[in-house]
Amino acid sequence: SSGINAEWPLRPGDTNHLVTSTCHKSSESLHLLVNETSLACYRIEEHIQKTIPHLKSISGEISGVENRTEGAGYDVDYTTQFLEDVDVIPELQNIQGWLKNALINAGKIKDLHEKKLPPM
């Protein structure tokens, strides 16, 4: 028996079809389980055999996402620690002061050059 292949997003009317089909399949499965146990067990095993490869691939994807997320968490921790350490390194504070002075002096030099140039 073939499964229901629904594509998302569902169109109006698809939900009714899916619910009806799912109820029918569930009733059929329960009937088989009660009346024909060997066939029911075969269908359950068949379903498991079909779904396991897909579940394994999803499991691999989830592991990959988990590893990338864990790596990103470590990156954030290392970056946070570095930024906290930067605030207490005096040499870096000196560099920040020197950069501010350089920008101020660059502005002064620019102003002097603009004053010396004749207007166009």
Side-chain angles (χ1 to χ4, degrees):
S1 68
S2 64
I4 299 171
N5 293 325
E7 292 190 23
W8 299 95
L10 294 176
R11 294 173 301 208
D14 286 348
T15 305
N16 188 33
H17 171 71
L18 286 173
V19 169
T20 304
S21 181
T22 302
C23 288
H24 176 73
K25 294 283 184 186
S26 297
S27 296
E28 182 182 341
S29 296
L30 285 174
H31 174 75
L32 284 174
L33 186 60
V34 171
N35 296 318
E36 302 173 31
T37 54
S38 62
L39 182 58
C41 290
Y42 171 77
R43 287 209 176 163
I44 291 170
E45 180 185 4
E46 184 180 48
H47 173 72
I48 290 171
Q49 293 298 326
K50 285 181 182 177
T51 57
I52 283 185
H54 179 67
L55 293 175
K56 282 185 178 179
S57 70
I58 290 174
S59 175
E61 291 174 19
I62 290 173
S63 294
V65 169
E66 181 182 11
N67 290 339
R68 289 192 301 273
T69 303
E70 186 177 8
Y74 287 136
D75 290 346
V76 168
D77 288 342
Y78 294 143
T79 302
T80 303
Q81 185 61 44
F82 172 76
L83 292 174
E84 290 170 356
D85 292 344
V86 163
D87 287 340
V88 296
I89 299 173
E91 290 82 5
L92 292 177
Q93 291 173 349
N94 290 339
I95 292 172
Q96 184 179 11
W98 296 334
L99 288 172
K100 285 180 184 177
N101 288 337
L103 290 173
I104 292 169
N105 289 333
K108 289 179 182 178
I109 291 171
K110 180 181 174 188
D111 290 342
L112 288 174
H113 282 286
E114 288 176 356
K115 289 179 182 176
K116 290 184 180 180
L117 294 176
M120 291 188 182

